[in-house]
Amino acid sequence: MSIDKTSTPPEDHAVENPEAARGADVAVDPRLLVREQGLAGYVTEFKRKMKAGDLGSIPVVLGLAIIWIIFQSLNSNFLTAGNLSDISVAMVGTGMIAVGIVFVLLLGEIDLSVGSLSGVAGATFAVLNVTHGMNEILALVLSILTGTVAGALQGFFFAKIGVPAFAVTLAGLLFWNGLMLKILGDNGTINLNDNGLVAKLTSYYFSNVAAAYGLAIAVTVLFFVSSYFGNKRREAAGVPSRPLSETVLRTVLLGVVAFAAAVVFNQYKGLPLAVVVFIAVLFITDFVLRRTGYGRKVFALGGSVEASRRAGINVDMVRISVFAISGTFAAIGGLFIASKIASANQGAGGGDLLMNAIAAAVIGGTSLFGGRGRTWNALLGVLVIVSIQYGLALQGIASPVQYMITGGVLLATVVIDAVTRKTQKTAGRA
């Protein structure tokens, strides 16, 4: 039974002439008319999506462009290779946490513990590796598993006991923060080995120019192959799919962006290892959500829990697994943050980290109401937030103003999300 309603072919129940019915469906489906009408068809399709509230990533992309234009006009150093490279590395820690938040938001729930869990992971690694001399790889794995187990435990209380996710993770925020302070002990700060594995997560760069260009080629090719064969499967199933010309156009646009980024990286220190890991995580998690049965179950729960249960989905296990995933990525993000500051300290996981992670997922396009979003939204959202932070820092503007501006951007995004849902309901698409 297919859960994706937009990709389910019309059934022939109680239809006297199924072939004629299929022909009628194809004739009135605007998505199938695009390829026949050429440019005019694309214009019509764009208008249809706008009227239906299907804005996609357009608002955040336009917003990011405006942010960059404004800060570049205020300070010519903003769009330099060095600053853009620093932004790309700085965003990875929060971005990793935001990836886990995307999974939770798809259920229509929230996880308030991710900031504290990220601090626990960094503290666990520092104590095991630096204080007790444990092998780095083993310490790294155990610290990540700490986040996984903690997330699964919270998911258990939510799914099996019935405690609201907000309450469970709020308690987790306090508990895990206390555990982090206990792990770090009286000193409060443990410095990491500058030449160690975790330290290199954000300090290592592939200086060979071929690395950045190779990644750009790989990303572009993977996108085309995924889109091409995805369209072939949809065509074989008799459901709407993008024409080859649109797939090629999207691939070309992505290729331009990817190679532009490669040029920027090569003008500075080279391709950052942190960016490579982040891009790999985004591809893998996007594949899991969009191309696997598990991903369809996550989207289904975000649409209707009762309908999912009737469809035979193990609701409790999916919920627990999603919170385990959130905890895992919180831990991974915590390790990247510890790498950036080369230490684990009592301030880890605090401040605006939690709000920035949630804001990144929402600003990027993931709905707070569940059922709509992609892990790539985390990339767009965190890029917006970190760009604002770096742009304001270049202007010497204090943190309070940064908080207010970020909050305003988040509010605007949530308003757009709410208006979009109402528009889609009016158009009969929600």
Side-chain angles (χ1 to χ4, degrees):
M1 176 177 180
S2 179
I3 295 174
D4 187 355
K5 296 179 181 178
T6 61
S7 62
T8 303
E11 297 180 345
D12 299 327
H13 302 310
V15 177
E16 295 182 359
N17 191 342
E19 295 300 325
R22 292 192 187 96
D25 286 341
V26 173
V28 299
D29 192 333
R31 292 172 294 182
L32 294 179
L33 293 176
V34 171
R35 69 182 69 179
E36 300 175 4
Q37 297 176 351
L39 180 60
Y42 286 107
V43 173
T44 302
E45 173 73 354
F46 178 78
K47 291 180 179 179
R48 182 189 69 81
K49 288 184 176 181
M50 293 301 100
K51 290 180 179 179
D54 189 5
L55 302 176
S57 300
I58 293 177
V60 67
V61 172
L62 291 178
L64 181 61
I66 292 172
I67 289 169
W68 282 12
I69 291 172
I70 291 175
F71 284 127
Q72 177 64 17
S73 66
L74 295 174
N75 192 317
S76 59
N77 291 323
F78 182 78
L79 290 181
T80 58
N83 192 57
L84 291 177
S85 181
D86 289 344
I87 287 175
S88 69
V89 173
M91 73 180 186
V92 173
T94 305
M96 287 290 190
I97 300 174
V99 169
I101 290 292
V102 168
F103 277 82
V104 177
L105 290 179
L106 287 174
L107 296 183
E109 302 297 339
I110 194 68
D111 188 347
L112 300 178
S113 68
V114 290
S116 296
L117 280 178
S118 71
V120 169
T124 300
F125 175 83
V127 169
L128 292 177
N129 175 244
V130 178
T131 305
H132 297 290
M134 181 180 288
N135 175 271
E136 270 196 302
I137 296 179
L138 180 57
L140 179 71
V141 172
L142 290 177
S143 62
I144 293 175
L145 288 178
T146 299
T148 306
V149 173
L153 180 62
Q154 294 177 156
F156 173 83
F157 280 104
F158 167 57
K160 293 292 188 180
I161 309 300
V163 182
F166 178 89
V168 172
T169 57
L170 179 59
L173 182 154
L174 299 173
F175 180 87
W176 305 124
N177 185 64
L179 179 61
M180 178 193 70
L181 298 178
K182 182 68 176 177
I183 291 173
L184 289 174
D186 296 334
N187 291 332
T189 299
I190 301 177
N191 294 323
L192 302 180
N193 180 3
D194 292 338
N195 295 318
L197 176 63
V198 169
K200 288 183 178 180
L201 288 176
T202 56
S203 64
Y204 184 82
Y205 292 77
F206 297 96
S207 57
N208 192 321
V209 296
Y213 292 125
L215 179 62
I217 293 173
V219 168
T220 305
V221 171
L222 281 174
F223 175 80
F224 176 79
V225 171
S226 175
S227 299
Y228 178 79
F229 286 103
N231 289 334
K232 286 296 184 183
R233 285 193 295 269
R234 295 176 68 86
E235 289 177 3
V239 296
S241 62
R242 291 191 179 98
L244 180 60
S245 58
E246 182 179 348
T247 300
V248 171
L249 177 60
R250 286 169 173 259
T251 303
V252 170
L253 291 176
L254 176 62
V256 170
V257 173
F259 277 91
V263 170
V264 170
F265 289 140
N266 284 333
Q267 287 180 350
Y268 188 52
K269 297 180 180 179
L271 176 65
L273 172 63
V275 172
V276 176
V277 176
F278 191 34
I279 294 298
V281 165
L282 291 174
F283 265 109
I284 294 171
T285 52
D286 184 68
F287 177 85
V288 169
L289 282 177
R290 299 178 64 232
R291 305 293 183 185
T292 67
Y294 174 78
R296 288 191 288 272
K297 292 175 183 178
V298 172
F299 278 106
L301 260 65
S304 173
V305 175
E306 186 57 34
S308 301
R309 184 176 285 110
R310 292 180 179 180
I313 295 175
N314 189 331
V315 173
D316 290 345
M317 288 308 299
V318 172
R319 283 175 164 174
I320 293 173
S321 67
V322 164
F323 277 89
I325 289 171
S326 179
T328 300
F329 280 107
I332 295 173
L335 291 173
F336 274 91
I337 293 171
S339 172
K340 193 74 172 64
I341 61 177
S343 68
N345 59 50
Q346 293 180 340
D352 59 353
L353 177 61
L354 169 62
M355 291 299 102
N356 283 344
I358 296 174
V362 177
I363 290 173
T366 303
S367 175
L368 280 169
F369 304 98
R372 190 178 78 247
R374 296 179 62 178
T375 51
W376 287 98
N377 296 149
L379 170 61
L380 290 173
V382 75
L383 190 55
V384 168
I385 291 174
V386 177
S387 293
I388 292 174
Q389 292 175 339
Y390 269 65
L392 294 176
L394 285 176
Q395 295 303 114
I397 298 176
S399 295
V401 178
Q402 296 183 25
Y403 292 156
M404 289 187 287
I405 293 177
T406 304
V409 173
L410 176 59
L411 176 61
T413 305
V414 174
V415 170
I416 291 174
D417 184 27
V419 172
T420 296
R421 284 182 61 84
K422 289 182 180 179
T423 305
Q424 289 180 335
K425 287 182 179 178
T426 303
R429 298 192 62 211

